[in-house]
Amino acid sequence: MPREHKKRGRREEKKRKREQEENQPESKRRKSEDGTDAEIVVDNGQQIDDVDYTPITGPGEIPFYGLLDEEEQEYFKRADAMLELDQFNDSEERALFLANVYKEANGKELKIANSQSCSRLMERLILMSTSNQLKVLFQKFTGHFLHLAQHRFASHCCETLFTRSAPIVSEEITAPTEAPSSDAVKGAITAEQLFLDASKELEGNLGYLMTDQFASHTLRVLLVVLSGRPLVDAHTTSLLQSRKKEHITLNSREPTAATSTSTRTVPDSFQHAVDHMLKSMVADLDTTSLRALASHPVANPLLQLLLDLEFRRSGKSKAKDTNSLFRRLLPDDPPEEGTDSAAFLNAMLYDPIGSRLCEVLVTHSPGKTFKILYQSLFREKLPSLAKNETASYVLIKALERLNKEDLERATQELCPQIQLLVERARTSVVKCLIERCLVRGVKTEPLADALKEAYGQHPAERINKMLKLGSSSSESMSEERQKHIESHDPSKAHTSLLAQSMLDVPGTLQSLILDGILSLDNTGLQRMAKDRSATHVLQKSLASADDTIRYRRMIMPRLANMTADLGTDPVASHVVDTFWKGTDGLPFIREKVAEHLMQHEAILRESAPGRAVWRNWQMDTYKTKRFDWMAEAKGRIPGTKTGIELARERFANQKSGSKSKRNMSRKGGGKPFQLSGANALLNAVQELLIPFIRAADEDATAKETGHGLSKSGGGPRTALVEHHKPQKLAQLLDPQLPDTGVGHDGFLQLVEKVLQYSVNTWDQGFMPKLYASTDAPGVASELILSVLNTNLHVYDASPALTIIEKATTKALASLFGLNGPHAGGISVQGGSASNTTSIVIARNTLYPSTKTDGIHSSPHNLILFTSAHGHYSIEKAAQMLGFGSSAVWTVPTSGATGRMDPSALATLIAQAHTENKTPFYVNATAGTTVLGSYDPLRAISKICRAHNLWLHVDASWGGPAIFSPALAQDRLDGSHLADSIAINPHKMMGMPVTCSFLLGADLRQFHAANTLPADYLFHGGAGAEEDEDDEDAEGESKQQQRQQRQRQQQPPPSEIYDLADLTLQCGRRGDALKLYLSWSYHGTCGYRSQMEQAFATAEYLAALVDGERDLVLVSERPPPCLQVCFFYGKGGVVKEEGKENSRVTRGIAAGLVVRGFMVDYAKVDGRGRFLRVVVNRGTRRGTVEGLVRAVVEVGEGVW
C-alpha cells in the first residue's frame, strides 16, 4: 500500500517526535533524563514543581584529548560498519581485522572514546576484544577515568569496558593468568589491579560524581562489578542502564552470558574497595542531604544501589548501626507514625523519583521495621495507594512481604477496588495479589469474581477487553509501528502479564483465561497470536502444566490449521514454537502440525521466522527420519528401551526383590505369594494395551483427511490393522503350544504379537460390523469378571452377580414395556443363542409334549416365519432343533424399505394352514443386518394374536434405540406386545463382547420350558424336598404326572435364583455385570444422548453420500438405523451388470484398509454388492467426511 508522504531529515524527525510527545496525554510519572520519573505528586493530588538540580562540577577542567582528522574518522567509521555487519569468512579473518584496527587506533584510544562519530567503534571493539586486548585498553584508560566518566560518549565506553572486563577477574582467580602475547606485553598486569587503580582514581571525587548525569552511570557499573553482583538481571539492569543509551550489539557473536547472569567470584580486595567507596560517598552527608539526594533524578539510582549493597553485604544488622546509610535516612527507631522518618517516607511514596528508593527500603528493611512501616504507612490506605500511579509500585513491594493473615485482609480490602484499578490501568497491583495469594495459600476466588465483574461475564468479551485485541488491527501494521503504539500504551503489556499470572493459578482464575481463549473465533485467535503482548498469554496457556490437557485438546486442533499462516509471522511464529509443548501428550496433533509444516515448506523457507519454525520443529528429521521424529514426538528418545523392554526389566526387579519372601513362605510350609507375580504381569500387559488404545486416539484427527496415519510394520499398516492374507499371517504368528512354558517374558511377546496383528476396534475407521470398541467401564467390568471367574448357574456360586442379573434384566425389560409381575430376562451367550432359546421356549410353551417327546412324535408340522432380511440364526436354529431349514418360511419385505410386509405374513400363515402345517413362531426384526430396518411390530403382533403365534422380536442390533423415546417412538412401537425380545448391548451400546439378553413377558414360561431335574446341581427347585427313594420307586407315568404338576405350579420368577434353570446353558458367565456397571456409570440419560448422537451421525453420512456425485445412496434418508449403504457409480450411475458393481465394491473395500478404514459390503437385489458402513456412538463427523473422501478417491482407481 502507498506510504505516507513525509519530509526526511533529522530536523523533521525531531519535529515529529516533539509533536507526538505533545499529543500524548501527560503522565504523572513522566520520564526523566536517565529514564526515571521526574514529576512529584503528593497524596492530595497537588503537583510539586520539579526541582532544578545542577550537577556539581569537579575540580579542574576536563582535558581536551584532541580530534581525529577527516581521514581517520572515515577509516574508523568504515571499520565500525564492517564490525557491525560481522561478515568475515572465519574467526581468523576477524581477528586479523581487529588487530589492524587496534594498530591503527594505537595512541588514539582517548580521542576515539570522546568522538561523537567514533565512540561506537570503541564500544564495539571492547565487545569483540580478547582478554589481553581488554587489559591493554584498560591501561590506556587508566589515569583518565575521572574525566572520561563525565564525558557524554566516553562514559559509555568506560561502562562497556568495566562490564566486559569483569569476567576476566573471575577467570584469573580460578585459572592461571594467560601468558602475554607478543603484541600485548602490557597485558601482563592483572585485571584485579586495573579495577583497583580505577576505584582509587575516583575515590576523592565520589561526592560530585554521584550527581553527574554521565559519571553516575559509570560509578554504578563499577560498584556492581566490584561487589560481584550479577551484571545481567532485572534489578541490576534497571539501575545501570539509561534509556537514552544506544545499545551496541554484535550481529552474530554476543558476549557470553554465562558469567553475567550469575554471581561472580571476586577477590577480597574488591570487597574492601566497595566498603571504602561506600564510606567515602556518605561520610560527609547528613540526613537532610541524603533525603535531598533521594529525590534527585541522577543521584537516586546510585542511592538505591548503595542501600542494596549495604543490606546484601552486612545483612539486617546493619540497620541498627547509626552510621549506616539506612539509619541516616531513617534515624527514628522505630519509624512509627508521627515521627520525622515516617513523614519522609510518606512524602516519598508519591514522589515519582523518591518512590523508587522507598521500594528498596520496603524490600530490604528488617522484619520488625517493615511491620511498623506497613502499619503506619500502608494498612489503612490500601485502596488509595493502589489507585495512585506512583505509590502503587511501593505498595506492590509491601504486598510481597506480607504474611498470610495480612495478605488475606489486604485482599478483602482491595477486591472491591479491582474494577476501578482496571479502569485506571493499575493491573500490576492485581497481578501481585494473585501471585502472593498463590504463594501464601490464600483463596483466589474473590479475586476471580472481581476480575470477571471488571472485564465482563462473557468469555470472549472478557479476553478481548483484557488483552485489548480489538483496539487496533495489527495485521496490516508494520512491526515498527506496533512497537511505537505499544510503547505509549504500557497498560497493554501489564494486562498481558496479569493474564499470565492468572494462568499460574489452577482453578477459577486459570479458567477465566482458558475459557476466554476457547471462545475466540479463528480470526480472534490469529489476532491474539500476532499481537505483541497478547501472544505471550497464548504461548503460556499452551506451555502450562498437565492439568490443562483438556484445554489443549480443544485449542490445538484449531491452531494446527493455522500453522502456515502463523509460522511466517515475526510474532506468531513463537506461538508455533510453543505448539511442541502444547501437544505434549497429544502426539497425533503434534504430527498434524508437522504435516501442515510439510505442506507449506516453500512458504516457510522464504521468511526468517518460517525458517526458525522449520528448524525448531526439526522438520528435516521429519522428512528423512520420520520414525525417529515420531519416537521423540511420543516422548521416547530413539534408541531407548521400548515399553515391553521396560516391562520386562520391572518384572525382573520385582521378581528379584520378592525372591526372599517367597523362599521364606515355602520354608514355613505356606503357599507362595501369587499377588506380586499377577501384579507384575498385569502391569506389563497394561504397558502394551494403553499404547494400543492410544494409537487409535492419535489416528482419529487424521481420519478427516481420508487417510489414517501410517505405521511401521511387516505390511501396509495403520493404527487400524496390519493386514495380511491368512497364509502369511499364520507364518508371522506361528502359534505353538510348547511343552515348557514361555514364562513372563514369552507371555508378553505373545501379547505384543497378538496386538500387532489384530484389528484395533478402538480406531475411528473400524466401521464394517455391528459392534465397535468398548469403553473404560466395559474394560473394567471384563477384568472384574475374569478375577471373579465364577459361574452363574446356581445362586450359591455367584450370589451377588445373580441379584445383579435379575435386577438388570428386569429394568431392561421395563424399557420395552414388559412391565408385568413376571417379566424379566436372562443373559445368554449371543444374539443367535437368544433366538434359539426363544424358539425352544415358544415350542415347549405352545406344545408342551414336544419337550419330552420331540417334534417328530408330535402330530403338528411346526412352521416358523421370519423376514427375508432377518438374521440367518433363525434358519440355523431350525436345523439344530430338528425342524429343518424348510420349516423356516421367509416373509417378503415392503419394497426397498427392508421391513416385513404384514399382509404377506398373513397370506403365508393362511397358506401354511391350507398345507396342514402348524405356524407357531414369528420372528420380527428391530434393526436388520444390512439396511437396519425395523419391522412394524404392532401390525405383526395383531396377526400373531389372531392365530395364537409366539411373537419374538430380534432387537439384537437396533434394540438400544429404546433408551431414546424420540428414536423408539416409530422404530420400536409395539415392543410391549412381544412374548420375547433379544437384545445385544455389546453391539450398539459398546459393551465388551459378549453381552446379550433374552427378555420375556413371563419368565414362568422360560422356567417351564427349560427346567429339568438335576438334583446334584439345583437344590432349591420344585420337588427338591421329596424323598429320593420314593422318586426312584416311581414309574414312568408317575414321573410324567409330577412334571405336569410342576408346570401347573411354577414358582414366580422372583423366587428363582438358580438362573441356569431358565436357559439352555449350564455354564453361564456373569455378563449382566457389564451392562449393570456401564449403565450405572453413564446413566439412562447418558445412553439416550449416545444413541441420538450415533443416529445423527448416520443421518449426516447419508446426507454426504447423497450429495456426492459419484456415490449412489441405497439406504433411506434418513437411514432407519446406523448403517448407511451405497454404491460407487461414476457420475451417479451404477454399472448394469451386478458382477461389475460387486467388483468395484470389493476393490474399494480392499483399498480403504490401507487408508485406515474398514467397511463391509452386501446385496439385496440383482444390482450386486454395495458398500455398507456402520457408524457407532463414538464416530466423529470428521471421520465420515474423511471416509467419503477416501471412497471417492479409491473408487476412481478401481472403476
Side-chain angles (χ1 to χ4, degrees):
M1 60 182 296
R3 299 177 60 184
E4 181 183 354
H5 177 69
K6 295 180 179 180
K7 292 183 179 181
R8 294 180 293 179
R10 293 183 180 178
R11 293 182 179 178
E12 287 298 324
E13 182 65 24
K14 290 181 179 179
K15 181 179 179 181
R16 282 196 296 271
K17 286 184 178 179
R18 285 196 303 270
E19 291 174 351
Q20 289 173 358
E21 291 174 358
E22 291 172 358
N23 293 332
Q24 291 297 325
E26 187 175 358
S27 171
K28 295 179 181 179
R29 202 173 193 184
R30 58 185 172 84
K31 309 303 174 188
S32 65
E33 58 189 21
D34 67 344
T36 58
D37 301 310
E39 191 171 329
I40 303 173
V41 183
V42 297
D43 194 17
N44 58 11
Q46 296 179 354
Q47 298 181 358
I48 299 177
D49 295 335
D50 293 353
V51 181
D52 185 15
Y53 293 104
T54 304
I56 303 172
T57 306
E61 295 183 359
I62 297 178
F64 177 66
Y65 295 105
L67 297 175
L68 298 169
D69 58 36
E70 293 184 3
E71 186 177 348
E72 290 172 332
Q73 287 191 35
E74 188 64 29
Y75 171 80
F76 289 128
K77 284 181 182 179
R78 288 199 307 269
D80 179 49
M82 292 184 66
L83 289 174
E84 182 177 14
L85 292 174
D86 197 14
Q87 295 179 346
F88 302 100
N89 294 327
D90 50 36
S91 57
E92 184 178 351
E93 182 179 346
R94 184 186 307 101
L96 180 62
F97 181 79
L98 278 173
N100 289 331
V101 174
Y102 263 108
K103 184 177 181 181
E104 185 66 29
N106 187 28
K108 306 169 187 172
E109 293 87 355
L110 300 179
K111 290 182 181 180
I112 297 173
N114 283 271
S115 170
Q116 179 179 0
S117 59
C118 298
S119 61
R120 297 173 71 256
L121 169 65
M122 180 56 66
E123 285 194 71
R124 206 178 302 280
L125 275 176
I126 295 171
L127 290 173
M128 303 182 74
S129 296
T130 63
S131 296
N132 280 331
Q133 289 172 332
L134 285 173
K135 287 193 284 187
V136 170
L137 191 59
F138 209 125
Q139 288 180 270
K140 295 289 183 71
F141 279 29
T142 299
H144 304 280
F145 279 117
L146 177 60
H147 305 297
L148 295 176
Q150 299 177 73
H151 193 274
R152 177 181 179 184
F153 305 114
S155 61
H156 297 318
C157 297
C158 293
E159 295 168 26
T160 307
L161 180 62
F162 289 159
T163 55
R164 286 289 291 128
S165 301
I168 303 176
V169 179
S170 301
E171 293 172 4
E172 291 178 346
I173 294 175
T174 57
T177 306
E178 289 184 23
S181 59
S182 58
D183 61 341
V185 178
K186 293 183 179 181
I189 191 171
T190 63
E192 175 185 355
Q193 188 59 49
L194 291 172
F195 273 108
L196 292 175
D197 291 343
S199 65
K200 290 179 182 178
E201 183 179 343
L202 300 177
E203 271 183 15
N205 304 284
L206 294 175
Y208 73 84
L209 291 180
M210 289 179 65
T211 56
D212 185 88
Q213 61 177 335
F214 303 123
S216 62
H217 285 281
T218 307
L219 195 55
R220 288 180 233 163
V221 174
L222 181 59
L223 280 169
V224 169
V225 170
L226 294 175
S227 65
R229 283 188 54 179
L231 295 172
V232 180
D233 65 18
H235 182 67
T236 306
T237 302
S238 64
L239 284 175
L240 298 186
Q241 294 184 351
S242 167
R243 295 185 182 180
K244 290 186 177 181
K245 179 180 179 348
E246 181 181 4
H247 298 283
I248 308 298
T249 59
L250 301 180
N251 204 24
S252 62
R253 288 167 178 78
E254 293 283 350
T256 58
T259 57
S260 301
T261 57
S262 57
T263 302
R264 294 169 291 104
T265 303
V266 294
D268 294 338
S269 58
F270 278 19
Q271 304 296 338
H272 298 312
V274 171
D275 291 337
H276 190 70
M277 292 179 70
L278 289 175
K279 292 178 182 178
S280 301
M281 286 186 198
V282 299
D284 299 327
L285 298 176
D286 56 11
T287 298
T288 304
S289 302
L290 285 173
R291 289 180 177 177
L293 293 177
S295 56
H296 193 289
V298 176
N300 177 279
L302 184 55
L303 207 55
Q304 295 179 49
L305 179 59
L306 294 178
L307 271 173
D308 186 87
L309 290 175
E310 182 177 87
F311 280 116
R312 289 178 185 271
R313 293 168 55 79
S314 304
K316 307 295 183 182
S317 60
K318 192 68 174 177
K320 298 180 180 180
D321 186 356
T322 56
N323 293 321
S324 66
L325 179 58
F326 175 78
R327 188 52 64 199
R328 290 193 183 189
L329 278 169
L330 305 177
D332 300 295
D333 189 15
E336 297 175 336
E337 187 174 1
T339 63
D340 184 57
S341 297
F344 164 70
L345 287 175
N346 188 60
M348 290 297 100
L349 279 176
Y350 303 96
D351 187 323
I353 297 172
S355 62
R356 299 180 185 271
L357 186 65
C358 280
E359 293 180 36
V360 179
L361 290 169
V362 169
T363 301
H364 295 292
S365 61
K368 292 182 179 180
T369 304
F370 169 74
K371 289 181 179 180
I372 295 172
L373 290 176
Y374 179 73
Q375 292 173 2
S376 60
L377 297 178
F378 297 96
R379 191 166 65 182
E380 304 303 326
K381 300 187 297 183
L382 290 177
S384 62
L385 292 173
K387 289 182 285 187
N388 187 273
E389 183 177 4
T390 302
S392 60
Y393 292 97
V394 188
L395 175 61
I396 289 173
K397 296 298 181 181
L399 293 175
E400 290 175 352
R401 295 195 62 179
L402 293 184
N403 56 34
K404 184 176 181 180
E405 182 180 351
D406 288 336
L407 184 61
E408 287 177 341
R409 178 179 174 182
T411 304
Q412 292 175 0
E413 292 190 23
L414 290 175
C415 274
Q417 307 297 324
I418 283 183
Q419 184 162 1
L420 188 58
L421 294 178
V422 168
E423 294 174 356
R424 295 191 178 187
R426 305 291 183 267
T427 54
S428 296
V429 177
V430 186
K431 170 180 172 289
C432 178
L433 274 177
I434 293 173
E435 293 172 345
R436 298 312 300 168
C437 286
L438 179 62
V439 173
R440 297 294 189 190
V442 176
K443 292 182 179 180
T444 57
E445 285 74 12
L447 289 170
D449 294 338
L451 286 168
K452 189 184 294 186
E453 187 69 26
Y455 284 110
Q457 297 292 333
H458 190 274
E461 173 194 354
R462 183 167 58 243
I463 200 71
N464 275 296
K465 184 177 179 181
M466 177 180 288
L467 301 179
K468 300 184 178 181
L469 297 179
S471 58
S472 62
S473 178
S474 60
E475 296 181 7
S476 59
M477 192 182 301
S478 68
E479 185 177 356
E480 290 299 323
R481 178 61 177 162
Q482 291 182 46
K483 289 181 180 179
H484 174 76
I485 291 178
E486 291 176 15
S487 66
H488 288 80
D489 186 16
S491 63
K492 192 169 184 179
H494 290 170
T495 53
S496 173
L497 293 173
L498 171 62
Q500 293 175 57
S501 68
M502 293 169 67
L503 287 171
D504 290 329
V505 186
T508 311
L509 280 172
Q510 187 182 76
S511 298
L512 290 180
I513 303 300
L514 298 184
D515 293 346
I517 297 175
L518 288 173
S519 65
L520 294 174
D521 56 17
N522 290 342
T523 303
L525 275 178
Q526 287 181 323
R527 186 184 300 119
M528 183 177 183
K530 295 179 180 181
D531 188 278
R532 300 184 64 85
S533 298
T535 186
H536 297 290
V537 180
L538 182 58
Q539 293 175 42
K540 185 161 186 177
S541 72
L542 297 176
S544 297
D546 293 338
D547 54 3
T548 62
I549 184 70
R550 177 180 172 275
Y551 159 77
R552 291 188 285 116
R553 280 183 183 275
M554 297 174 68
I555 198 67
M556 276 309 307
R558 296 174 58 192
L559 290 172
N561 294 326
M562 310 175 190
T563 300
D565 179 47
L566 301 181
T568 54
D569 186 85
V571 176
S573 59
H574 297 293
V575 177
V576 181
D577 292 339
T578 319
F579 282 2
W580 185 270
K581 180 65 177 176
T583 54
D584 193 13
L586 306 170
F588 56 97
I589 302 181
R590 186 171 285 176
E591 187 174 14
K592 182 179 180 180
V593 174
E595 286 293 337
H596 277 281
L597 294 174
M598 277 288 296
Q599 295 171 9
H600 300 88
E601 178 181 1
I603 298 176
L604 290 168
R605 290 189 180 277
E606 289 178 358
S607 65
R611 289 191 294 272
V613 168
W614 185 271
R615 181 174 59 254
N616 294 337
W617 269 78
Q618 304 177 40
M619 291 304 298
D620 290 328
T621 303
Y622 182 81
K623 288 178 64 177
T624 58
K625 299 179 180 179
R626 185 167 298 192
F627 182 79
D628 290 347
W629 190 94
M630 286 299 300
E632 186 173 353
K634 293 179 180 180
R636 183 172 65 85
I637 301 175
T640 56
K641 295 180 180 179
T642 63
I644 190 171
E645 290 171 339
L646 292 173
R648 291 171 185 164
E649 188 176 291
R650 281 194 297 271
F651 173 74
N653 293 335
Q654 292 174 354
K655 185 176 180 181
S656 174
S658 60
K659 185 176 180 180
S660 59
K661 293 183 179 180
R662 292 199 300 270
N663 290 337
M664 290 177 61
S665 175
R666 292 186 179 121
K667 289 177 182 179
K671 186 179 179 181
F673 289 105
Q674 299 179 24
L675 183 58
S676 61
N679 186 51
L681 186 61
L682 290 175
N683 286 338
V685 171
Q686 178 179 302
E687 293 287 340
L688 300 176
L689 292 179
I690 291 178
F692 180 77
I693 298 172
R694 184 182 294 127
D697 291 338
E698 296 171 356
D699 193 50
T701 55
K703 282 292 191 282
E704 64 184 18
T705 65
H707 205 308
L709 302 177
S710 299
K711 305 287 183 181
S712 59
R717 176 170 174 77
T718 63
L720 178 61
V721 66
E722 180 178 326
H723 184 69
H724 297 283
K725 292 185 179 298
Q727 297 79 2
K728 176 67 177 299
L729 184 56
Q731 295 176 359
L732 293 171
L733 282 174
D734 190 25
Q736 300 289 334
L737 297 176
D739 293 331
T740 303
V742 296
H744 180 277
D745 290 357
F747 181 89
L748 292 180
Q749 290 178 350
L750 294 175
V751 173
E752 189 173 36
K753 190 176 290 187
V754 169
L755 293 176
Q756 179 179 352
Y757 298 118
S758 293
V759 175
N760 192 338
T761 59
W762 297 80
D763 192 279
Q764 284 277 308
F766 182 77
M767 294 186 282
K769 304 300 179 185
L770 305 184
Y771 66 91
S773 68
T774 182
D775 54 14
V779 173
S781 62
E782 192 72 65
L783 178 61
I784 293 169
L785 286 175
S786 297
V787 171
L788 293 176
N789 196 34
T790 190
N791 191 342
L792 262 74
H793 49 3
V794 294
Y795 173 81
D796 291 342
S798 51
L801 296 183
T802 298
I803 300 300
I804 287 174
E805 179 168 329
K806 288 172 68 66
T808 303
T809 53
K810 188 170 184 65
L812 192 57
S814 179
L815 287 179
F816 286 95
L818 304 179
N819 298 315
H822 305 300
I826 53 173
S827 68
V828 289
Q829 67 269 42
S832 295
S834 295
N835 293 340
T836 302
T837 305
S838 71
I839 295 174
V840 172
I841 296 172
R843 183 198 65 187
N844 292 353
T845 300
L846 296 176
Y847 303 96
S849 63
T850 59
K851 182 176 180 180
T852 55
D853 301 335
I855 61 172
H856 297 295
S857 62
S858 171
H860 307 288
N861 191 356
L862 300 178
I863 297 297
L864 305 84
F865 298 95
T866 188
S867 165
H869 287 191
H871 197 264
Y872 77 99
S873 60
I874 300 297
E875 187 174 352
K876 180 179 286 187
Q879 294 176 2
M880 290 190 296
L881 298 177
F883 297 105
S885 299
S886 61
V888 180
W889 289 19
T890 56
V891 183
T893 58
S894 301
T897 63
R899 299 179 182 88
M900 181 188 289
D901 185 352
S903 61
L905 172 64
T907 301
L908 287 175
I909 292 174
Q911 179 183 338
H913 285 300
T914 303
E915 297 178 6
N916 293 321
K917 300 181 185 298
T918 304
F920 81 101
Y921 178 94
V922 175
N923 174 60
T925 308
T928 59
T929 307
V930 177
L931 296 178
S933 305
Y934 287 78
D935 290 341
L937 302 182
R938 189 177 291 276
I940 295 171
S941 171
K942 185 176 181 181
I943 296 171
C944 290
R945 292 197 174 193
H947 294 277
N948 193 31
L949 306 182
W950 184 279
L951 174 57
H952 172 70
V953 177
D954 181 6
S956 299
W957 169 234
I962 198 67
F963 278 89
S964 169
L967 297 175
Q969 182 177 3
D970 297 327
R971 293 171 174 83
L972 292 166
D973 178 43
S975 63
H976 63 289
L977 302 173
D979 295 293
S980 59
I981 300 175
I983 181 172
N984 289 2
H986 71 246
K987 292 187 175 181
M988 192 177 291
M989 296 176 69
M991 298 300 116
V993 178
T994 59
C995 182
S996 304
F997 299 94
L998 179 63
L999 310 176
D1002 190 345
L1003 289 190
R1004 292 178 301 177
Q1005 298 171 332
F1006 284 40
H1007 185 264
N1010 291 307
T1011 185
L1012 287 171
D1015 220 25
Y1016 57 85
L1017 183 62
F1018 304 119
H1019 304 313
E1025 297 179 357
E1026 294 183 13
D1027 188 84
E1028 295 180 2
D1029 295 334
D1030 293 342
E1031 184 177 342
D1032 293 338
E1034 284 184 320
E1036 182 178 349
S1037 61
K1038 288 188 176 182
Q1039 290 183 18
Q1040 294 176 352
Q1041 293 174 8
R1042 181 173 59 83
Q1043 292 174 4
Q1044 180 66 24
R1045 288 196 305 270
Q1046 290 177 358
R1047 282 195 296 269
Q1048 293 174 353
Q1049 299 177 354
Q1050 288 297 324
S1054 60
E1055 297 180 8
I1056 301 175
Y1057 292 96
D1058 295 341
L1059 299 183
D1061 216 13
L1062 298 173
T1063 72
L1064 300 177
Q1065 304 165 248
C1066 179
R1068 302 180 69 253
R1069 203 160 183 267
D1071 291 329
L1073 180 69
K1074 305 173 188 177
L1075 179 58
Y1076 169 74
L1077 292 178
S1078 295
W1079 197 341
S1080 300
Y1081 182 89
H1082 294 289
T1084 304
C1085 294
Y1087 276 125
R1088 179 194 306 131
S1089 176
Q1090 291 178 25
M1091 296 305 105
E1092 292 174 353
Q1093 177 64 34
F1095 276 79
T1097 303
E1099 183 176 351
Y1100 179 65
L1101 173 57
L1104 290 176
V1105 171
D1106 203 23
E1108 178 58 52
R1109 64 183 301 273
D1110 292 334
L1111 302 180
V1112 179
L1113 184 65
V1114 175
S1115 298
E1116 297 178 81
R1117 183 176 174 192
C1121 201
L1122 303 187
Q1123 304 101 303
V1124 178
C1125 303
F1126 55 92
F1127 285 102
Y1128 177 87
K1130 195 69 175 176
V1133 180
V1134 299
K1135 294 182 180 293
E1136 295 182 359
E1137 295 186 10
K1139 290 183 179 180
E1140 279 298 298
N1141 289 325
S1142 297
R1143 177 190 64 80
V1144 172
T1145 298
R1146 285 193 296 266
I1148 293 174
L1152 290 177
V1153 173
V1154 297
R1155 286 173 168 257
F1157 294 96
M1158 288 183 71
V1159 300
D1160 210 342
Y1161 45 82
K1163 66 176 181 178
V1164 294
D1165 54 31
R1167 291 187 296 174
R1169 291 180 171 84
F1170 48 75
L1171 293 168
R1172 187 198 67 172
V1173 179
V1174 186
V1175 304
N1176 58 71
R1177 60 193 180 126
T1179 304
R1180 304 178 182 180
R1181 293 200 169 195
T1183 300
V1184 297
E1185 291 170 357
L1187 172 67
V1188 171
R1189 185 178 295 111
V1191 168
V1192 172
E1193 292 174 359
V1194 175
E1196 179 74 23
V1198 300
W1199 179 256

